[in-house]
Amino acid sequence: MATYSDFKLTTELPSYQALEKLYKQSGKDFKVAEAFQKDPKRFEKYSKTFANFDDSKILFDFSKNLIDDEILSHLIQLAKDAKVEALRDEMFAGAPINSTEGRAVYHVALRNRSLKPMKVDGEDTAPEVDSVLQHMKEFSDEVRSGKWTGYTGKRITDVVNIGIGGSDLGPVMVTEALKAYSQPGLNVHFVSNIDGTHLAETLKPLNPESTLFLVASKTFTTAETTTNANSAKKWFLDTAKDSAHIAKHFAALSTNAEEVSKFGIDTKNMFGFESWVGGRYSVWSAIGLSVAIYIGFDNFNDFLKGAEALDQHFVETPLENNIPVLGALLSVWYNNFHGAQTHLVAPFDQYLHRFPAYLQQLSMESNGKSVTRGNAFTNYQTGTILFGEPATNAQHSFFQLVHQGTKLIPADFILAAQSHNPIENNLHQRMLASNFFAQAEALMVGKDEKQVESEGAKGGLIPHKVFSGNRPTTSILAQKITPAALGALIAYYEHLTFVEGAIWNINSFDQWGVELGKVLAKVIGKELDTTEKVSTHDDSTKGLINQFKEWSS
């Protein structure tokens, strides 16, 4: 395994220092519209087409970004100096690259549908991964066919996934994105928030006799998840009465057989996953059982294979043409040299309306770090603030800031050429596509004072209608959002995030930042169990707790 003692800070790398110099000399004044005028083959040069395992295509157009050959070559050198390829190869070899927790980072093994040997600690993961998948297939097939019934013999009509974080965000996003592949009459719901309203509103329209709960918690001790699961069990038993019926209505996505059994779940209906599966990468694992039930196992398998195909591209393609690497290098260019603090992902696809929320965890939990793998505090920016909403709605909310605000906001726009719902002779999709193309073009070319004047504006109104342009976008055009295409898109962003972290020399695979609030919440939780006023904590927290006790009693 490679060591990272060669450099603690990315700013120590000669290629980083060369990029700083290049940015000051020409990079900060780069005009992308002028670059297109100078190079008629710019689109061809800076766009890459990914071919999936099923021969479907996704086009990644990087040509509207603030780069040229010189800038890109320096960025490629930065990736090489930061040992991106070595770290990538270690990840795919099952090495413990999660250095602070001493774990492998092996979500890529979960989509190893070619069943090639992929080892952790000398043991091949492929047989166990496939065994869990076959168990998921058997279970999901039984639920979908009606063979699996509730305690009164009724077929399952509603599946409720109870989880939090990666055990919720991934399945929610994927089931929404692939709703076109769902089975009529079989609905899926998700409960994550400890706010009782989430569970109560989800359960209101459901029938306990035809509802199946999936409790997603690796340890089966996650406080929010187990609390929601126990409340769901109580709701179920209020009707079913007999705890023996729990086995027909609850399954566990967990590795803690003892706690699962105590809950009343038959351990035959327990689906495990390993310690090398991080929460935000777990949708590929047993955590994806709700997805497999909703869209069918064959489609879930295509979802895995689409990601596997992108993995192969990431491993085998030279950095200069490696699509996730290029996406990551652009992110580093804007974040560390142009001073961009945010990144917009706007899917022009209603089915992808939860995609930005999913990417928020992937990006910000992974790279929201300020200490390097060399145990030094960074003297440079790391993770960006990722945000987004589906267009065209987003155009009527925050695109004003993207076009004319004072901040540089690099953006990814995502569109499928073929709609799952081509209503009105595909009119809606053509209107959607026209906005997809127009927004990226407008952000690039802008509108100067002469154009504004030629359109009839006068006097003080002119500057208000000027658009500076030169605002970068990456356009991602898929043929259709199929299970395979979605798998590839997620894998693209996973590997992009990985490369960012490698360049910043941070551990993208731990999440210590979520711990402190949880620890304090346990202490405060015990204090809220009494009616006595608290005298500990800072004055603000103490005052808030005591006011809450008074008002909630």
Side-chain angles (χ1 to χ4, degrees):
M1 179 175 172
T3 62
Y4 299 93
S5 56
D6 293 348
F7 74 101
K8 289 184 178 180
L9 299 172
T10 305
T11 46
E12 297 173 356
L13 298 174
S15 52
Y16 188 95
Q17 294 164 7
L19 275 163
E20 284 187 311
K21 185 177 180 182
L22 180 61
Y23 172 75
K24 290 173 183 175
Q25 288 177 342
S26 59
K28 65 180 178 179
D29 299 317
F30 183 86
K31 298 292 187 288
V32 68
E34 292 178 6
F36 270 101
Q37 292 172 359
K38 292 176 183 176
D39 184 359
K41 292 188 176 181
R42 182 176 172 84
F43 170 75
E44 182 182 331
K45 182 188 298 182
Y46 293 118
S47 62
K48 308 293 178 184
T49 300
F50 167 72
N52 215 321
F53 78 93
D54 58 359
D55 294 326
S56 64
K57 306 287 196 301
I58 304 175
L59 172 65
F60 294 80
D61 175 19
F62 299 114
S63 65
K64 290 189 179 76
N65 284 283
L66 310 182
I67 55 166
D68 57 18
D69 291 350
E70 184 181 17
I71 294 168
L72 185 57
S73 66
H74 277 73
L75 288 167
I76 294 291
Q77 188 59 49
L78 177 63
K80 290 178 178 177
D81 288 354
K83 302 182 180 177
V84 167
E85 292 159 300
L87 189 64
R88 174 199 63 192
D89 293 345
E90 287 174 4
M91 178 172 73
F92 277 85
I97 65 168
N98 179 350
S99 53
T100 62
E101 297 179 297
R103 293 178 183 171
V105 177
Y106 225 29
H107 49 276
V108 292
L110 297 170
R111 52 225 197 194
N112 173 25
R113 301 315 295 136
S114 56
L115 300 180
K116 60 182 178 287
M118 296 186 74
K119 296 182 179 181
V120 170
D121 297 327
E123 209 165 303
D124 187 8
T125 61
E128 177 61 25
V129 168
D130 191 58
S131 175
V132 172
L133 286 170
Q134 295 311 314
H135 188 195
M136 292 169 64
K137 173 176 168 51
E138 178 186 17
F139 188 83
S140 60
D141 285 351
E142 287 193 355
V143 173
R144 288 170 61 83
S145 69
K147 183 178 178 181
W148 181 285
T149 61
Y151 74 99
T152 62
K154 291 184 177 179
R155 71 182 294 152
I156 299 300
T157 59
D158 294 273
V159 177
V160 180
N161 187 90
I162 300 176
I164 198 166
S167 299
D168 172 79
L169 285 167
V172 169
M173 182 274 289
V174 175
T175 52
E176 285 294 303
L178 300 178
K179 187 175 284 188
Y181 297 86
S182 64
Q183 177 174 296
L186 184 58
N187 306 302
V188 65
H189 315 269
F190 295 88
V191 174
S192 57
N193 201 331
I194 194 60
D195 183 344
T197 299
H198 199 183
L199 181 65
E201 289 295 338
T202 300
L203 296 180
K204 271 182 185 178
L206 305 188
N207 181 354
E209 297 177 39
S210 58
T211 299
L212 172 67
F213 293 93
L214 307 178
V215 184
S217 171
K218 184 185 292 186
T219 61
F220 221 77
T221 57
T222 307
E224 298 92 339
T225 299
T226 54
T227 300
N228 277 328
N230 279 300
S231 296
K233 181 168 73 171
K234 183 178 183 302
W235 171 85
F236 172 74
L237 289 175
D238 283 345
T239 299
K241 308 302 181 186
D242 189 347
S243 60
H245 296 322
I246 290 171
K248 294 292 287 180
H249 290 266
F250 284 79
L253 316 179
S254 178
T255 55
N256 191 337
E258 184 180 351
E259 288 300 320
V260 167
S261 183
K262 276 184 192 176
F263 187 90
I265 296 174
D266 187 340
T267 53
K268 290 179 184 176
N269 302 321
M270 187 176 86
F271 300 80
F273 47 103
E274 299 299 327
S275 62
W276 37 258
V277 181
R280 55 193 174 275
Y281 303 94
S282 63
V283 71
W284 317 103
S285 72
I287 292 297
L289 182 59
S290 58
V291 179
I293 293 172
Y294 191 55
I295 67 173
F297 186 82
D298 287 347
N299 284 320
F300 184 74
N301 198 45
D302 282 352
F303 172 65
L304 299 178
K305 289 168 73 175
E308 182 185 29
L310 200 289
D311 292 342
Q312 185 176 356
H313 168 88
F314 180 54
V315 169
E316 297 178 356
T317 307
L319 297 185
E320 291 79 4
N321 293 304
N322 196 305
I323 296 170
V325 171
L326 294 172
L329 292 175
L330 289 169
S331 176
V332 170
W333 179 234
Y334 297 130
N335 183 53
N336 295 90
F337 301 95
H338 284 270
Q341 296 178 318
T342 61
H343 187 99
L344 165 63
V345 176
F348 284 68
D349 190 310
Q350 185 58 30
Y351 281 134
L352 291 176
H353 71 107
R354 294 293 295 169
F355 196 51
Y358 174 79
L359 294 181
Q360 284 178 330
Q361 185 196 24
L362 172 63
S363 176
M364 294 194 281
E365 192 169 80
S366 295
N367 289 340
K369 315 287 172 62
S370 56
V371 178
T372 71
R373 289 177 305 205
N375 307 318
F377 282 95
T378 65
N379 59 1
Y380 47 87
Q381 294 294 314
T382 58
T384 56
I385 301 164
L386 191 147
F387 74 106
E389 283 289 327
T392 54
N393 269 7
Q395 294 170 203
H396 296 271
S397 55
F398 55 76
F399 268 47
Q400 169 64 46
L401 177 66
V402 180
H403 278 280
Q404 289 187 306
T406 57
K407 295 174 173 60
L408 179 70
I409 304 176
D412 294 354
F413 294 162
I414 305 171
L415 176 73
Q418 300 170 31
S419 172
H420 285 287
N421 300 289
I423 60 175
E424 298 290 338
N425 195 27
N426 218 30
L427 169 66
H428 291 256
Q429 192 68 4
R430 293 198 304 276
M431 289 181 67
L432 185 68
S434 69
N435 281 274
F436 171 82
F437 301 126
Q439 289 292 333
E441 184 177 37
L443 284 164
M444 180 183 73
V445 301
K447 185 186 287 189
D448 61 23
E449 287 189 7
K450 288 184 178 179
Q451 289 174 281
V452 174
E453 286 180 336
S454 71
E455 292 170 359
K458 296 179 180 179
L461 185 59
I462 292 174
H464 295 277
K465 290 194 169 188
V466 168
F467 291 73
S468 64
N470 211 44
R471 300 186 182 224
T473 58
T474 295
S475 297
I476 302 172
L477 179 63
Q479 285 181 288
K480 193 172 188 176
I481 301 299
T482 62
L486 181 66
L489 273 177
I490 298 171
Y492 163 75
Y493 280 103
E494 284 180 351
H495 295 320
L496 184 158
T497 302
F498 165 87
V499 174
E500 288 177 328
I503 290 172
W504 293 323
N505 199 22
I506 56 178
N507 179 8
S508 298
F509 304 106
D510 59 15
Q511 53 277 332
W512 300 108
V514 305
E515 296 299 320
L516 179 58
K518 286 183 176 181
V519 171
L520 293 177
K522 287 181 180 178
V523 174
I524 294 171
K526 292 177 181 177
E527 293 172 338
L528 295 178
D529 289 338
T530 73
T531 57
E532 298 174 8
K533 286 191 172 184
V534 298
S535 57
T536 54
H537 305 288
D538 63 272
D539 285 346
S540 170
T541 304
K542 178 174 64 178
L544 287 165
I545 291 171
N546 289 331
Q547 187 65 78
F548 173 84
K549 287 191 172 199
E550 180 184 331
W551 283 353
S552 65
S553 60

